[in-house]
């Protein structure tokens, strides 16, 4: 039922673990099946220097967690924000239809970790980069994927409440 | 690679002697039992012999056995058939929250057609309280249907007590004995039930064959129409090879029952003991003693079942899970929910069901593989002993923060 790529990431997941002094941490609970994913990021000069995850979930959840960490490592914060659940699923060679929601988990955990980082930055007074990120993600033509991702997660949250 | 099949509650391999019988009744004695020529008469005689064999497995009379396409059809026929015969579109049915979907969905179907259904709760072991059944009985109750042994957690229900209380009030009792009959001693008279569903493929017979026991005098209508087969209760040319194979499987099950029970119980106990010794935070699901001898249903804390099953499958081990991620509907097992098992624990549920072909080496192999699979997944899990069990609620709070 899973693609070879999914099974490969599932059996050999990248970047498992925690970052004790992470710059941002994001945790999401899957509203569909109740599973949990936590993502830690370390940011250096606007780029995701390190990323680690912990996941309590199915094969697709573990594989998407692993894939998302691989996709964003070394990317700028703005680029990372554009990664949506679709990007992750596609990079894995697709997911079975009833497992698509697991890829939301990975994208959402990542976005939440970034928001956590940006929030902390804002609080500590360093505004500049955060504002730039916002502009870039919203730029027409490039923001499509990010918006898509947000719309998905928006619907998710709606379903929970 | 070594392959170990520990999913006998899902289905079993056909016993070689049973397969031989099936082939014989496909190729040699292939007649239609309704035909009057010698080919038909041979088939008819064989089917009637099979009826007697299956009846003897559960202490019934041959004419009380009606062959069906399996346990699901037997459940449907029992519940819909009694409901149709007893009332004109109305009435009350009592069942439990831990039944197989063949029973639950049939009850829900009848509910939509105007029947009232009471879904009785169970205790933490998955056990129905007979007194609650008795209290739920109304003047218009047409049927009580409670399974004999649970397919997921193996708990054996107090059917004899339920049937005794039901009899006092004149309400017929159906029991789904698909997991029980042929695997543990089952006797319709000792249990006092009026209807019982049986299946062939859980006892080393082929799929696609089952039977419904209907006590003489029980009012029941057919649900499949089109002929006088099975004395008018179930139309359709008899599945002669399937029926004969089911009879052979029943005969073997009856003859070998004490040995088979002892064998699977020994393997199961070896497995459970080894698992509990090697892996912390593992809980047994279901009743500690009133359970099927071949069922080991456990919850492994801090891991999710599907990811365990995938890892086991990669190493040739077949089992099943009641986790939400494993089910196509992405809901946790209704049985574990009814037993009050919290969501994060039911996510780690695993069912290992042993069979006559398993060996001690199989168990030892699983005990070698499983603990390391669990350890690996636990190292990957945000949950763990002493850590805050942040369930979906935690995620929700996070979501609100993220959006604000
Ligand atoms: S995380 Fe539960 S189905 Fe994927």
């Amino acid at each position: 039922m899973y693609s070879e790529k999914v099974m490969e990431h599932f059996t050999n997941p990248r970047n498992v673990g925690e970052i004790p002094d992470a710059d941002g941490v994001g945790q999401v609970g899957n509203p569909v099946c109740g599973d949990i994913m936590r993502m830690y990021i370390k940011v250096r000069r606007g780029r995701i220097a390190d990323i680690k995850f912990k996941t309590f979930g199915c094969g697709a959840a573990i594989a998407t967690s692993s894939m998302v960490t691989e996709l964003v490592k070394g990317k700028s914060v703005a680029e990372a924000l554009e990664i949506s659940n679709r990007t992750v699923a596609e990079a894995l060679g697709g997911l079975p239809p009833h497992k698509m929601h697991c890829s939301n988990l990975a994208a959402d955990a990542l976005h939440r970790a970034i928001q956590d980082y940006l929030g902390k930055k804002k609080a500590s007074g360093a505004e500049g980069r955060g504002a730039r990120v916002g502009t870039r993600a919203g730029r027409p033509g490039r923001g499509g994927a990010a918006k898509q991702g947000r719309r998905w997660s928006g619907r998710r949250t709606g379903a929970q409440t | 690679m070594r392959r170990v099949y520990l999913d006998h509650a899902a289905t079993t391999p056909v016993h070689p002697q049973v397969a031989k019988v099936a082939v014989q009744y496909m190729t040699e004695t292939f007649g239609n039992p309704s035909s009057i020529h010698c080919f038909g008469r041979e088939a008819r005689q064989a089917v009637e012999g099979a009826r007697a064999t299956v009846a003897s497995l559960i202490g019934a009379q041959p004419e009380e056995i009606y062959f069906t396409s399996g346990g699901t059809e037997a459940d449907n026929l029992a519940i819909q058939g009694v409901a149709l015969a007893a009332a004109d579109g109305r009435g009350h049915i009592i069942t439990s929250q831990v039944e197989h979907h063949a029973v639950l969905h049939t009850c829900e179907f009848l509910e939509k057609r105007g029947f009232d259904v009471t879904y009785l709760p169970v205790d933490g072991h998955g056990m129905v309280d007979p007194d609650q059944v008795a209290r739920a009985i109304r003047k218009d109750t047409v049927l009580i249907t409670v399974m004999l042994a649970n397919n997921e957690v193996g708990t054996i229900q107090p059917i004899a007590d339920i049937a005794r209380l039901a009899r006092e009030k004149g309400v017929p009792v159906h029991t789904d004995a698909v997991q029980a009959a042929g695997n543990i001693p089952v006797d319709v008279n000792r249990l006092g039930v009026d209807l019982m569903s049986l299946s062939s493929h859980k006892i080393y017979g082929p799929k696609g064959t089952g039977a419904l026991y209907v006590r003489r005098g029980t009012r029941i209508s057919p649900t499949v129409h089109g002929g006088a087969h099975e004395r008018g209760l179930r139309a359709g040319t008899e599945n002669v090879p399937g029926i004969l194979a089911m009879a052979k499987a029943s005969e073997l099950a009856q003859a070998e029952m004490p040995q088979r029970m002892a064998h699977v119980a020994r393997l199961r106990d070896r497995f459970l003991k080894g698992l509990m010794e090697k892996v912390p935070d593992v809980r047994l699901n279901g009743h500690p003693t009133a359970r099927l001898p071949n069922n080991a249903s456990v919850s492994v804390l801090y891991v999710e079942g599907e990811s365990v099953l995938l890892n086991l499958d990669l190493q040739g081990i077949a089992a099943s899970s009641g986790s939400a991620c494993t089910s196509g509907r992405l809901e946790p097992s209704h049985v574990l929910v009814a037993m009050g098992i919290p969501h994060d624990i039911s996510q780690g549920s695993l069912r290992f069901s042993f069979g006559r072909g398993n060996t001690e080496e199989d168990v030892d192999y699983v005990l070698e593989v499983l603990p390391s699979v669990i350890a690996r997944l636990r190292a990957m899990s945000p949950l763990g002993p002493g850590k805050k069990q942040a369930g979906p609620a935690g995620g929700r709070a996070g979501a609100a923060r993220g959006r604000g």
Side-chain angles (χ1 to χ4, degrees), chain A residues 2 33 35-36 55 59 99, chain B residues 306 314 325 343 347 380 390 396:
Chain A
Y2 287 131
C33 62
D35 291 344
I36 300 162
T55 291
K99 292 287 184 179
Chain B
E306 191 209 80
L314 287 169
C325 306
H343 188 96
Q347 279 298 73
M380 221 184 282
R396 258 198 295 277

Side-chain angles (χ1 to χ4, degrees), chain B residues 134-390:
Chain B
R135 277 199 298 276
I137 295 175
R138 312 192 317 210
K139 259 203 195 72
D140 63 341
T141 304
V142 296
L143 181 69
I144 295 167
T145 171
V146 176
M147 73 204 316
L148 187 47
N150 187 271
N151 50 309
E152 292 188 27
V153 297
T155 299
I156 298 171
Q157 301 292 352
I159 297 299
D161 296 337
I162 291 171
R164 189 165 11 84
L165 295 166
R167 181 149 297 185
E168 286 169 14
K169 310 226 178 152
V171 182
V173 175
H174 165 248
T175 191
D176 175 332
V178 161
Q179 294 288 341
N183 286 322
I184 57 171
V186 170
D187 185 298
V188 288
N189 293 315
R190 223 170 296 154
L191 290 172
V193 296
D194 305 284
L195 303 115
M196 178 184 284
S197 301
L198 307 174
S199 167
S200 140
H201 76 108
K202 310 288 189 188
I203 57 168
Y204 310 97
K207 295 161 188 66
T209 312
L212 180 66
Y213 156 79
V214 184
R215 186 179 292 278
R216 223 173 314 167
T218 306
R219 291 175 48 141
I220 184 166
S221 296
T223 54
V224 176
H225 305 272
H229 314 87
E230 298 299 294
R231 290 181 309 292
L233 188 57
R234 201 273 185 175
T237 298
E238 296 85 345
N239 172 4
V240 180
I243 288 169
L244 268 292
M246 178 173 180
K248 186 68 188 176
S250 305
E251 179 195 313
L252 292 169
Q254 200 171 358
E256 297 174 8
M257 194 170 293
Q259 298 91 289
R260 284 190 192 179
M261 284 177 65
H263 176 68
V264 291
R266 197 176 62 241
L267 296 182
R268 181 207 48 197
D269 294 343
R270 182 186 184 91
F271 168 74
L272 283 175
K273 186 166 171 280
L275 182 65
M276 304 281 181
E277 272 169 16
K278 292 187 172 193
V279 183
D281 295 322
V282 174
R283 299 183 187 173
L284 182 71
N285 296 322
H287 199 280
T289 52
R291 66 185 301 133
L292 289 173
N294 74 336
N295 173 295
S297 170
V298 294
S299 283
V300 179
L301 270 56
Y302 321 125
V303 297
E304 186 282 319
E306 191 209 80
S307 58
V308 179
L309 293 186
L310 285 173
N311 274 305
L312 290 179
D313 185 45
L314 287 169
Q315 309 212 47
I317 301 167
S320 70
S321 166
S323 98
C325 306
T326 320
S327 87
R329 308 194 315 168
L330 295 166
E331 282 164 15
S333 135
H334 64 285
V335 175
L336 301 177
V337 170
M339 286 162 63
I341 297 181
H343 188 96
D344 51 348
I345 294 176
S346 73
Q347 279 298 73
S349 68
L350 299 169
R351 181 189 68 186
F352 300 87
S353 43
F354 297 83
R356 56 184 287 278
N358 290 132
T359 62
E360 286 189 358
E361 290 74 55
D362 287 345
V363 173
D364 294 344
Y365 175 63
V366 179
L367 286 175
E368 207 179 286
V369 172
L370 182 58
S372 62
V373 164
I374 293 169
R376 214 169 68 82
L377 290 170
R378 279 184 175 168
M380 221 184 282
S381 173
L383 307 180
K387 290 186 205 162
K388 206 178 92 221
Q389 291 262 357

